Amino acid sequence: MSDDEAPRLHGYGVRFDPDVQRYRVRNEMTGEWLRQTTGELASFTFFSDAYSAWKVFEVHPRPGEQVR
């Protein structure tokens, strides 16, 4: 998925892809999409799973988080 396709997805970091009814994960710092080992875009059925993957994929302090 190229960056010009990104606006059709809603959200920040974790985005819902209405075409496949799945969540996608994007590193907003680099613009990179989380991919499976096969190179295909990773997709998640549940938001909580996608959010957990995003927290590992995009590592930086978020608003309100304390730096350890």
Side-chain angles (χ1 to χ4, degrees), residues 24 33-44:
R24 306 281 191 194
W33 290 92
L34 180 62
R35 296 188 177 275
Q36 299 174 354
T37 55
T38 60
E40 294 180 53
L41 286 176
S43 63
F44 301 88

Side-chain angles (χ1 to χ4, degrees), residues 47-63:
F47 176 83
S48 59
D49 294 339
Y51 182 73
S52 294
W54 175 67
K55 285 174 57 176
V56 174
F57 186 57
E58 183 176 333
V59 180
H60 71 278
R62 291 165 186 74

Side-chain angles (χ1 to χ4, degrees), residues 1-16 23-35 41-44 50-51 53-60 62:
M1 180 180 303
S2 64
D3 286 337
D4 61 337
E5 294 178 89
R8 70 181 179 79
L9 300 180
H10 307 289
Y12 174 85
V14 175
R15 297 174 177 217
F16 187 72
Y23 292 96
R24 306 281 191 194
V25 175
R26 183 172 189 227
N27 182 323
E28 297 296 334
M29 301 297 285
T30 65
E32 178 183 8
W33 290 92
L34 180 62
R35 296 188 177 275
L41 286 176
S43 63
F44 301 88
Y51 182 73
W54 175 67
K55 285 174 57 176
V56 174
F57 186 57
E58 183 176 333
V59 180
H60 71 278
R62 291 165 186 74

Side-chain angles (χ1 to χ4, degrees), residues 60-68:
H60 71 278
R62 291 165 186 74
E65 286 186 338
Q66 295 180 351
V67 179
R68 296 176 195 183

